[in-house]
Structure formats: C-alpha cells, structure tokens
Amino acid sequence: MPVLLRTLTSEETNLEDGVLDELRAGFRGPLIGPGDDLYDQACVVQNGMFHRRPALIARCSGTADVVDAVRLARDHDLLIAVRGGGHSVAGHSIHDGALLIDLSAMRGVAVDPERRIARVQGGATWADVDRETQLFGLAVPGGIVSSTGVGGLTLGGGIGWLHRAHGLACDNLRSAEVVTADGQVLRAGPEDPELLWALRGAGGNFGVVTSFEFDAHPLGPVVANGAAMYPAADAEQVLRSWREWTSGLPDEITTRAVLWTLPASPALPAELHDQDVLIIGAVHAGRVDDGMAALEPMRRFGTPLADLSGPAPYTAVQQAFDPFFPKGGLLSYWKSLYFRELDDAVLDLVVRRGRERPHPLTMLHVPLLGGAAGRVPAAATAFGDRDADYMLSVDANWTDADDTATAVQWVRDVLAEAEAMPGAAGTYLNFSGEAVLDPGARASAYGDNLERLGHAKARYDPRNRFRLNNNIPPLG
C-alpha cells in the first residue's frame, strides 16, 4: 500500500473519493496532497519563481505506478505535470491543480561495464549516473550541474562537459521505456525507432520516460580541468584570446566562458568572494597529462585573479557549480541563442551587457559547441540543427521577487539585440524560461524536423495530454 499521510478529499483533487480509493489500492509510492506534512517540501522545484500547488502528487516507485497515474489522468481528463530533477527553468515540472507524476524516487542506475551501457531510471540525477559509471571508469555525457535530472536534460538535448568529445546526452540514448498518453508501455529503440528519434531532443511531448539506456565512454576517474578566473575588466581582451584558441580545438576539449560575480561561498577562496570575473572553464576528455598541456593556453590569456586548473576527479568537476544553484534558492529566467561564429560585435555585446547585469548572480554563458555533437546530421535526431559553433545563454538569476520584472525584461532585451546580429540562428530549449513557445521559437529550435515531430505527436499523444513542456502540437 502507498504511504498516505492523510485522507485526500474530492474537493482537493476534483476526483470522487471512490476514484482515489481505487488508485490507493494498487499504488506503491506515496500519494501526497495539500495539507500533508510532506506537501510543501514536495512542491519545491529548482527555480524559485514557481510556488505552485498541484492537486495531487503521485511519487511513483516504478513503471506500474506511472501507468496507474497516467491512466487516472486519461480517464478523468486531468492536467499532467511530470517531474524528474525539477530543474525546468520554465517551470514545466509543476503546475497548479495538476496531477504531478513525480519520478524522484526512481533513481536507480545499473552499469554494464563490458558493453559500456548505463541503464538509468527516469528520476535519476546526473550525480546518480556519475557515481555509478565512474566506479567502472565510464561516463555518460551529461550537463554541468550534477543535481540536474537525467530526463529533462536528455530529452531536451544535453549540452555539458563532454558534448564535443562524445556528443549530446540525447545522441548517446540507445533506448528508453515510455508510458504513453493511453497508459501503454512502449520501448523506444530498434522496436520503435520513430519514438526514439523523437525523444532525442523533443522533450517530454511523447510520454513519461521511466528508464533510459545510454552508451557510456571511458573517462576518469581523474580528468584535466581548466578553471581560470580573470578580472571582468579584462573580459574584452580575454574573450578575444579565447575565441582564437577555440578555433580548431580537438574534440577532447570542451570549453565555455562565463561572465559572473562570484558569490561569497565557502566553496570558493575568500579572495574571490564578490569579484566580477570572466571564468574560462574547460575539460579534456583524454589522458590527464596530455590534457593539462592542451589546456595550458587558456591559463595565459591575461593575469588571472585565480587559477583553479589542475587534475581533478570527474565527479568533482561535475559538481563544481552545484553550491551556487541551491534548490529553490534562486529565481531564474534564461534565454539562449546559437551563433555560427563569434565576431567582434557579438563579443562586444557580451562584454557590454555583462557590465550591466541586473543582479550579481546573473551570468552570460558562452559554451563552445561543435565537435562530435556538431557532426550529427540535423535529421538524425529531433534536436535539429548542429551547425552553430557557439551559444550565448543569458541567465538571469536573482533572489528578491520584486526584481522579477526587471530581470526578465533585461534578458529579453539582450536577446533581441543579439538576434539582430549576423550569424544568429536557433535556440537551445533547455535554456529557455518561456512556459509557452510561440511558433517562431518552436521553428527556431526544431527547424526542418518540426513537421515530422508534429506527426509523431499525433501518433503517440493525439490529445496533447503531455503539454506542460516545450510543446509540439499534434498534426492531422
């Protein structure tokens, strides 16, 4: 029987008591409703902008629980929200009055070291995956914050520290178990290649993914890590040096530039607290000695305030940004844009706008793309266009709700200016704060894949029950 801390009422859930009794009879995970001691904490998601109250939280223990929850929503026309790690910047992982299918208790990871495969449950985080795969000297390409959910990052693409060496997270997805809108359990893979294609980049549009099977790659446990902190006053010169260095880099190196104000965190040396900086970060996915030699130039673009580069455990690299993004501790609104190249006008925009950031925790983040991720044909996955060499992500983070309107407008203004520049095209939807995509943003993200995705949506979710996401309406 499920853990039910108190008896939910029909008034709270818009369900008759008999329906709830039927759900309780087979459900194995906790059912959490308003007024339960666990409810308020169960409603907390990563982005502190969202304080929403679902009608019922079904914390699933396995696929059968997910099936029961989806069928309940189907039979009673309930709005469905799905939560894995809860990191959706746009707040898709929670909604007022919805049935929240919470996968956070489904975090198992099993590794087959001989075949280099990792099987991951739908509620796992990248910290869960890293811990188990690193036991065997393997890694699955993930993100850059280890508390991020595997599901959301993978289904939206998956840019991180290994995308140049081994592709996006979605490129490494071999198969998946999916509960569709009618409560069926399907296997996306050789048995259903169209569903697998759609899952590789088109988000949660097609069902609840209860497990993933990934290719894993030899890496670690120690990697060459670059982390040079330059004064923000030197950003113009350092960014130009970084741009020159990134042209022609080998696939083993993934790097990014971040304009930010370092917080007064115990995770940082005291002399860096409250300093405006340009961080040049990098990871080399090969031999450590070779990697440190290859990363040496990024440590000499100027005179760093601090250089934290050196051999480091891969798990530590993956967790380095975790302390700065506490769950529910920041309000966030992000937008992103791809660039074919970083010309001087783009770099000037980054520097100028970086000096005007509305809050110290707001950042301008410029990852280098390309490498293995850039060689996947656009039509091979739902993710779409891979031609861009860089991305500009404008990440507003703040702490006072009174600053929300200013922060959101600042991000939109920066993106509007950037979009007018030559070579700007496309967007990364995992870094989007928009809850509802307009047709232009949808087309920008998926390009020529959009029509095919619309037909896939019509096949697997014709009534658009899974619409709290970067939604793709069904065609036909």
Side-chain angles (χ1 to χ4, degrees):
M1 293 292 290
V3 177
L4 190 61
L5 298 184
R6 63 182 195 83
T7 301
L8 302 175
T9 68
S10 57
E11 288 78 12
E12 292 170 330
T13 62
N14 294 321
L15 296 172
E16 296 179 0
D17 292 338
V19 172
L20 290 170
D21 290 341
E22 185 177 344
L23 179 63
R24 292 188 195 105
F27 208 82
R28 290 294 182 264
L31 298 171
I32 305 168
D36 284 331
D37 291 342
L38 291 180
Y39 182 80
D40 288 343
Q41 184 59 38
C43 289
V44 176
V45 291
Q46 188 71 24
N47 190 345
M49 281 186 70
F50 302 109
H51 301 280
R52 293 172 174 168
R53 298 182 68 79
L56 176 64
I57 301 173
R59 185 166 288 166
C60 302
S61 66
T63 301
D65 278 357
V66 175
V67 169
D68 283 354
V70 169
R71 288 177 176 171
L72 178 74
R74 175 198 65 189
D75 294 344
H76 298 277
D77 198 25
L78 303 177
L79 186 63
I80 300 174
V82 182
R83 182 171 66 196
H87 272 244
S88 169
V89 170
H92 292 142
S93 49
I94 194 165
H95 202 280
D96 287 331
L99 169 61
L100 173 55
I101 298 177
D102 182 356
L103 305 179
S104 62
M106 298 172 57
R107 295 176 58 173
V109 178
V111 180
D112 182 338
E114 298 300 322
R115 298 175 61 203
R116 295 179 181 170
I117 291 173
R119 297 180 178 89
V120 182
Q121 285 190 299
T125 67
W126 287 104
D128 299 323
V129 175
D130 294 339
R131 176 168 171 76
E132 298 299 330
T133 54
Q134 282 289 280
L135 185 63
F136 303 100
L138 298 171
V140 175
I144 63 171
V145 175
S146 75
S147 59
T148 305
V150 170
L153 186 98
T154 300
L155 297 176
I159 292 171
W161 282 122
L162 299 179
H163 60 257
R164 286 179 49 81
H166 300 299
L168 305 177
C170 70
D171 299 333
N172 289 272
L173 181 61
R174 299 168 55 94
S175 66
E177 182 182 80
V178 186
V179 180
T180 59
D182 58 2
Q184 291 189 69
V185 180
L186 299 183
R187 191 76 182 173
E191 306 88 343
D192 195 335
E194 186 68 6
L195 181 55
L196 180 61
W197 176 85
L199 294 178
R200 287 173 165 164
N205 274 282
F206 308 99
V208 184
V209 181
T210 53
S211 68
F212 301 83
E213 185 178 75
F214 292 104
D215 287 321
H217 304 272
L219 185 75
V222 175
V223 296
N225 176 51
M229 318 282 183
Y230 293 95
D234 297 342
E236 184 174 358
Q237 166 207 329
V238 173
L239 277 173
R240 280 163 169 75
S241 298
W242 178 73
R243 178 184 61 188
E244 181 178 353
W245 179 64
T246 59
S247 62
L249 276 183
D251 291 357
E252 288 82 7
I253 297 176
T254 298
T255 180
R256 62 193 71 240
V258 182
L259 265 169
W260 196 30
T261 303
L262 293 171
S265 167
L268 294 169
E271 62 270 21
L272 294 179
H273 290 182
D274 301 316
Q275 294 284 337
D276 292 339
V277 296
L278 173 63
I279 303 171
I280 302 297
V283 169
H284 185 280
R287 289 170 47 89
V288 174
D289 291 345
D290 295 342
M292 291 311 304
L295 298 183
E296 181 63 26
M298 57 157 282
R299 307 168 69 182
R300 293 185 281 103
F301 294 156
T303 303
L305 288 168
D307 184 359
L308 307 183
S309 305
Y314 176 67
T315 52
V317 174
Q318 286 286 80
Q319 296 170 21
F321 280 96
D322 289 9
F324 312 124
F325 294 94
K327 185 175 182 179
L330 295 179
L331 292 76
S332 299
Y333 179 83
W334 302 354
K335 275 183 169 294
S336 64
L337 185 64
Y338 295 135
F339 281 93
R340 298 287 187 261
E341 60 179 341
L342 288 181
D343 63 20
D344 287 349
V346 177
L347 293 185
D348 290 345
L349 177 146
V350 171
V351 173
R352 174 169 46 84
R353 289 296 195 166
R355 290 171 178 156
E356 303 168 356
R357 290 173 297 125
H359 191 279
L361 294 177
T362 290
M363 61 176 64
L364 277 79
H365 172 204
V366 186
L368 175 67
L369 304 177
R375 289 192 293 274
V376 177
T381 68
F383 186 78
D385 188 7
R386 310 294 187 105
D387 288 344
D389 287 330
Y390 299 89
M391 177 172 65
L392 169 62
S393 186
V394 185
D395 304 346
N397 305 295
W398 64 101
T399 55
D400 188 338
D402 290 342
D403 296 332
T404 296
T406 299
V408 170
Q409 189 59 52
W410 182 81
V411 172
R412 291 174 175 169
D413 290 346
V414 175
L415 257 290
E417 182 178 351
E419 286 171 342
M421 293 183 166
T427 186
Y428 180 48
L429 290 180
N430 275 353
F431 288 176
S432 171
E434 298 297 338
V436 179
L437 293 182
D438 62 50
R442 195 179 297 120
S444 176
Y446 296 117
D448 292 341
N449 290 334
L450 186 56
E451 182 176 357
R452 182 177 172 185
L453 283 167
H455 289 296
K457 179 72 169 179
R459 175 179 174 185
Y460 297 105
D461 184 17
R463 293 183 176 274
N464 203 10
R465 293 198 180 279
F466 296 109
R467 60 184 181 272
L468 296 181
N469 47 45
N470 294 315
N471 194 234
I472 298 166
L475 285 179

